[in-house]
């Protein structure tokens, strides 16, 4: 996941003709969706780091020039597809929504 100024803000919210047209419930729903995505991305990153350290010395992808790349892709795929299964993203989401009200 790349972090830049383009994905830290919701461009749709900035492209309004009149600030009075922005409804608070739309901002809240948009914020909830973004918070859920960030929570899921964090869990994926966390799982990726744990698996990378755990599988660093194994030969799960064989040996040779491309084995590290294949292992990295394998770990990333498992981490991305396992998002939500550990419960970290749910705990983080609940904590952040409860403490940001």
């Amino acid at each position: 996941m790349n972090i830049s100024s383009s994905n830290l803000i919701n461009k749709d919210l900035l492209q309004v003709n009149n600030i009075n047209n922005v409804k608070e419930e739309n901002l809240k729903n948009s914020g909830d969706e973004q918070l859920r995505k960030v929570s899921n991305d964090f869990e994926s990153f966390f799982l990726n780091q744990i698996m990378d350290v755990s599988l660093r010395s194994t030969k799960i992808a064989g040996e040779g020039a491309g084995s590290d790349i294949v292992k990295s892709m394998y770990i990333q795929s498992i981490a991305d597809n396992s998002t939500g299964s550990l419960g970290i993203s749910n705990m983080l989401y609940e904590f952040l929504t409860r403490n940001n009200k």
Side-chain angles (χ1 to χ4, degrees), residues 2-90:
N2 294 330
I3 298 177
S4 67
S5 61
S6 64
N7 60 5
L8 291 177
I9 58 173
N10 186 345
K11 293 178 184 175
D12 295 333
L13 293 177
L14 298 177
Q15 297 174 356
V16 294
N17 296 331
N18 186 350
I19 194 68
N20 295 330
N21 292 337
V22 178
K23 295 182 181 175
E24 186 174 329
E25 63 229 19
N26 292 342
L27 291 173
K28 183 174 180 357
N29 291 339
S30 176
D32 287 347
E33 291 171 11
Q34 288 178 337
L35 188 58
R36 176 61 74 185
K37 182 179 179 341
V38 168
S39 298
N40 287 338
D41 288 347
F42 176 78
E43 183 174 355
S44 176
F45 172 77
F46 183 74
L47 185 57
N48 188 337
Q49 295 301 306
I50 290 174
M51 291 181 63
D52 184 45
V53 170
S54 300
L55 300 175
R56 187 171 291 156
S57 63
T58 65
K59 308 267 187 273
I60 195 167
E63 295 179 41
S67 64
D68 288 339
I69 294 171
V70 171
K71 187 188 307 184
S72 174
M73 290 170 44
Y74 174 71
I75 290 171
Q76 184 66 47
S77 177
I78 289 176
D80 289 345
N81 289 316
S82 298
T83 299
S85 62
L86 296 178
I88 295 171
S89 65
N90 289 333

